[in-house]
Amino acid sequence: MVLKENPGEVRGPGGGFDAGAEFDRQVEGLVELGYPAAAGLGVQEFRSLVDPLRAVAEDRGAGECFPEAGRVPFLLVVTRQMVPIERTMELTAVHGKKKPGFVDRSFEPGSLERFVPVKEAVLPHQDAYLLLDVERGEEFCGVVPGDAMAVIAERGRTPLTVEEGVALLTHFPQTLVKNKCFSLGGSRCGDRRVPALWISAGAPKLGWCWEGNPHTWLGMASAGGRGAR
């Protein structure tokens, strides 16, 4: 099962972007995918957990919503404390396809748990929060990941964590396309590996690449900030 896609901007009665409606779409999509049960919660419990974030979306979530161009105003992020990454990846798919995503076996057993947020990616809540002003970052295709992260830091932005990358793919699967895949420099484990999402055999794959190795098809995703209630 794949989250219902937003074909374009969610617009309100006046024609502008409706952040509240977009937040509701993301919540309903996660419910349809089975996130409450995966988190060991009832549907109403799950809604009660995330519903306070609607006010954050309405207050800080205005902006451009062009997923095909790799830009969205916000994402509802559910962390691994709620649902394991291995499970959330299984609930993703490439735009227009049904084959479920997966974690590459290059992550040796237990290693994924060691990829934790870097100091530049402090989480506002351990269960769920909003990621704001998100860019896929294809401008960094062909750039050494370490250099891309330095530029992102200079701009006052933050690289995405693994969970945030999965959230981008989940809510907006059209952002993951051939030659415009993205690294997730916000999660590191102390070595030179940088997690990344790309397409393999028609499905999303969570893998990693070396910090010093550029790839023409792999950019660096970033965000303007994070918010929680």
Side-chain angles (χ1 to χ4, degrees):
M1 184 177 184
V2 180
L3 179 65
K4 185 183 295 183
E5 296 179 20
N6 177 13
E9 294 190 27
V10 176
R11 295 188 177 275
F17 175 73
D18 190 331
E22 172 57 22
F23 178 82
D24 293 341
R25 182 193 73 87
Q26 293 188 20
V27 173
E28 291 306 312
L30 296 184
V31 169
E32 291 178 12
L33 286 173
Y35 267 64
L41 299 174
V43 171
Q44 191 53 49
E45 288 180 288
F46 181 80
R47 292 186 189 278
S48 296
L49 175 71
V50 301
D51 278 352
L53 294 169
R54 193 178 198 275
V56 181
E58 293 176 325
D59 183 48
R60 300 176 60 190
E64 295 181 332
C65 188
F66 300 114
E68 291 84 0
R71 299 190 307 275
V72 300
F74 65 85
L75 301 171
L76 172 56
V77 181
V78 175
T79 74
R80 70 182 77 180
Q81 300 297 323
M82 295 286 291
V83 185
I85 293 169
E86 293 84 354
R87 178 57 180 151
T88 57
M89 276 300 299
E90 292 174 346
L91 299 174
T92 66
V94 172
H95 174 54
K97 298 186 178 182
K98 297 182 179 180
K99 193 172 180 180
F102 63 99
V103 176
D104 188 71
R105 56 187 177 184
S106 62
F107 283 104
E108 66 273 15
S111 68
L112 191 55
E113 288 72 22
R114 299 197 298 273
F115 282 83
V116 297
V118 297
K119 63 180 181 179
E120 297 84 2
V122 177
L123 306 188
H125 199 282
Q126 293 302 308
D127 294 334
Y129 59 90
L130 290 190
L131 184 70
L132 305 164
D133 183 18
V134 185
E135 295 181 357
R136 176 174 58 196
E138 61 261 37
E139 68 176 288
F140 296 111
C141 287
V143 177
V144 172
D147 293 344
M149 287 185 280
V151 172
I152 287 170
E154 289 173 358
R155 294 175 178 174
R157 294 176 63 81
T158 175
L160 267 60
T161 67
V162 168
E163 288 101 315
E164 292 164 354
V166 174
L168 177 57
L169 173 59
T170 300
H171 296 304
F172 297 98
Q174 59 270 56
T175 58
L176 186 71
V177 295
K178 183 179 179 181
N179 295 326
K180 293 182 181 179
C181 302
F182 44 90
S183 293
L184 306 169
S187 292
R188 304 295 298 276
C189 70
D191 61 17
R192 297 177 59 249
R193 291 180 291 177
V194 181
L197 284 167
W198 66 87
I199 301 170
S200 177
K205 178 170 77 171
L206 174 62
W208 55 263
C209 294
W210 295 117
E211 182 181 53
N213 290 0
H215 296 278
T216 59
W217 45 271
L218 197 59
M220 179 68 65
S222 69
R226 298 173 176 84
R229 297 285 292 181

